[in-house]
Amino acid sequence: MKNIIMLFSVFFCFSAVAAPNKNDIFAAMPDYLIDTARAWGGIYSEFGPSAEISSYIDRVQNTDVARYLNAISILGFNNTAMALFETIHHIDAAFDILNSPMDARRGLCVANFAACDNSPDKIAINGRVFGNFAGYNSDLNGDFNTSTTGFAVNVHGYVTDGLMLGVSYARTMTDTHDTRIYSDATGNSLTAFVKYLARSGFFVNFGANMGGTGWDVDKNIYGTKNDGTYDTDFYSAQMNAGIRITRGRISMIPMASVRYWRASADKYIDDAGQSFGKWWYNTLNASVGANIGFDFSGSDFIIRPSIYLGGGYDLISNGTDNIHVQLVGPQSYNIPVEAPHRALFRGKIGIELINNYFNTELNYALDMRSGYVAHTIMANAKVMF
């Protein structure tokens, strides 16, 4: 973790000319980790992991500063940024169906087909699988690298010529790596959505999503387990609007979207007896972008490579400021909730195969915020009946 590496450097440089002083060591720590150290310095417990950890801290705080700092960082590990980014990626997967207009109104052929079947589609099944790799650098001891896999499947059908309704289920599995603290998550959600396409090419898509994530945090302090489990719940709504503009083989889709989402975490107690309080966070994000595609037409299919460039900004980004952590006894400290930076950039390249009865698509997306980069690969298949 970045903060610990920095603290080690401060300590070793200082120790070359003088014996370490605890106040000097604290000066290089984030304020909430100083509070964590002071809280654990005053704890007394005779039983269980809290007693073992308290005894260990008492032994090493004056003899092995590196181990002491590492133990404090693990005890007060800030998992909030990871929880919020995991929620964002899950909602992204659930709402991916909203990021493009309907292929066509019912009873109309997809543009540029040499021959097509005008019989109305009754129902369609769309499935997506994806993998995501993300890295985050933080000033609040929340550095992480994660890998996420998941899938989403939806069923939708026409209500009228230009109106479609559907429901979707999404599941994500997130693992951390390259760290001594492992925070693994499994998320599940349900989405209801509606898509409208006018004859002019104008479209509006809307979805509402609700779900939850189960977290399993593995923290080991030199042989003493300090694990914990907790849940986060979330709900969200998103609207996309834009227009498909076609000029020969070139198509362009400028669009704008608005998304609101809220996440909250339950109170939980870890193996060291630390009681972590409830917290919540919400965001209203506005985004704009454009997708440009080029069609290569066959007798009954279209191959469409495309590129998307866009960005967004969180108009609302607030919630609980701190998580209150109560130890065994009167001691306590607070962990700050680390919200993502407001500005977002997204780029995507993909290729799509379109037919009257099935579509397949492969995409690569890059998401960037300050201190954060995520790479996502997604495969999509749709079958119409």
Side-chain angles (χ1 to χ4, degrees), residues 102 122-124 154-160 162-167 192-196 206:
M102 292 163 51
K122 295 181 179 180
I123 192 169
N154 70 73
V155 178
H156 55 265
Y158 287 97
V159 178
T160 63
L163 187 65
M164 177 182 288
L165 298 179
V167 293
F193 63 91
V194 56
K195 304 180 76 168
Y196 170 75
F206 175 81

Side-chain angles (χ1 to χ4, degrees), residues 8 31 43 54 57 103 125 136 146 236 246 274 286 290 292 306 314 353-354 373 375:
F8 288 170
D31 289 343
I43 193 174
S54 178
I57 289 176
D103 296 325
I125 299 176
Y136 182 62
T146 60
S236 58
T246 302
Q274 299 186 117
I292 300 175
S306 63
D314 294 340
L353 172 64
I354 304 170
V373 177
H375 308 269

Side-chain angles (χ1 to χ4, degrees), residues 79-99:
N79 191 49
T80 55
M82 189 186 303
L84 294 176
F85 277 113
E86 193 280 337
T87 301
I88 291 172
H89 283 303
H90 185 100
I91 296 173
D92 285 344
F95 282 151
D96 182 69
I97 189 69
L98 303 181
N99 292 331

Side-chain angles (χ1 to χ4, degrees), residues 221-241:
I221 301 176
Y222 289 94
T224 302
K225 283 190 172 294
N226 182 27
D227 298 349
T229 59
Y230 70 98
D231 296 321
T232 54
D233 299 314
F234 56 86
Y235 59 83
S236 58
Q238 178 170 319
M239 183 177 71
N240 291 34

